[in-house]
Amino acid sequence: MEHWAGILMLVLLFTFIVGMFALVLTVSARGRKRDALVEEEYAQLPRIAADRGWTYEGRVQGRIDQYCGVRPFPSRGSSLRAWHYTTGEFRGRSFTYFEYRSMNVASGADAGERKQPTIESVFIVTAPGSGPFVQMLRPRILDTLFDRRATMRLGVPEFDQDFRVVTDDEEFVRDALSHTVVPYLLTEAPSEKSPLQLCGNELFTWYRGTLSPRAVDEKLNYLCDVLDRVPAESWTTV
């Protein structure tokens, strides 16, 4: 009996080792495939810019320092770097998009382990005029723990569930956004729940992940659609 039990243990151990080896190979293959796809998408970005008459720079430094203090950038800093920095006009509006990379201090803590940056793809479109500071953010657990800023509720359950609004001017949000932008976010763009941020005369959105050609039109259209729905007189009353 002990003989067969020993054999069974050896079989189970062998099966476990083979399974782990297969898992490592599978994960590694998927990682290489994902990296190859990202590099292929990166290679398309300068071509898209050239075809549309936009300006593309692979990496710039200090060009985005002005955005410190608003999401998804640090509260302060200088000589910040941006990758795939692209500017131009889209639907008659000036825009900028790029990748911002920050190092996650929790990753790569062990010696010899390669640290992985946190990548945010950021899109900014110029508004017709200046407005108050407004953030429409997706609720996150970290916000509940660390973001103690007061938020406003619009009284629209579906919207209040999907977004938290931080603003210096609640009247602007209710008058300029509640009747136009909010219905658009809830009905015409049900799958588009990216955060929005109005700061001065610029409207931002962003997502965590690498910049992709598909996202270029998607996010720029999203921002332009939002701006199209803000009443023109709202920009002159703030």
Side-chain angles (χ1 to χ4, degrees), residues 79-124:
S79 299
L80 299 182
R81 295 177 179 178
W83 281 258
H84 311 292
Y85 187 88
T86 306
T87 59
E89 285 197 2
F90 185 86
R91 287 171 54 175
R93 295 185 172 95
S94 299
F95 74 84
T96 304
Y97 65 77
F98 52 86
E99 273 187 6
Y100 170 65
R101 304 175 185 179
S102 59
M103 193 58 64
N104 184 355
V105 296
S107 69
D110 296 334
E113 184 179 350
R114 182 182 179 185
K115 296 182 179 181
Q116 296 297 324
T118 296
I119 299 177
E120 303 278 0
S121 293
V122 183
F123 300 80
I124 306 169

Side-chain angles (χ1 to χ4, degrees), residues 64-83:
I64 62 172
D65 291 355
Q66 59 185 310
Y67 300 128
C68 284
V70 297
R71 294 197 177 188
F73 308 100
S75 58
R76 64 186 66 181
S78 62
S79 299
L80 299 182
R81 295 177 179 178
W83 281 258

Side-chain angles (χ1 to χ4, degrees), residues 133-200:
F133 177 78
V134 179
Q135 287 180 331
M136 294 184 175
L137 306 172
R138 298 301 307 279
R140 299 189 306 170
I141 295 177
L142 289 179
D143 287 335
T144 303
L145 296 174
F146 300 110
D147 192 344
R148 300 300 183 181
R149 295 176 301 171
T151 60
M152 67 173 292
R153 299 181 68 85
L154 297 182
V156 181
E158 301 90 339
F159 180 82
D160 290 337
Q161 179 178 345
D162 288 337
F163 291 90
R164 53 190 299 268
V165 180
V166 179
T167 182
D168 295 333
D169 191 337
E170 291 192 11
E171 183 178 354
F172 174 85
V173 175
R174 295 191 184 281
D175 291 346
L177 306 182
S178 294
H179 304 299
T180 52
V181 175
V182 170
Y184 165 71
L185 296 177
L186 293 177
T187 58
E188 297 186 48
S191 62
E192 181 56 88
K193 296 178 181 177
S194 298
L196 288 169
Q197 179 173 251
L198 178 63
C199 188

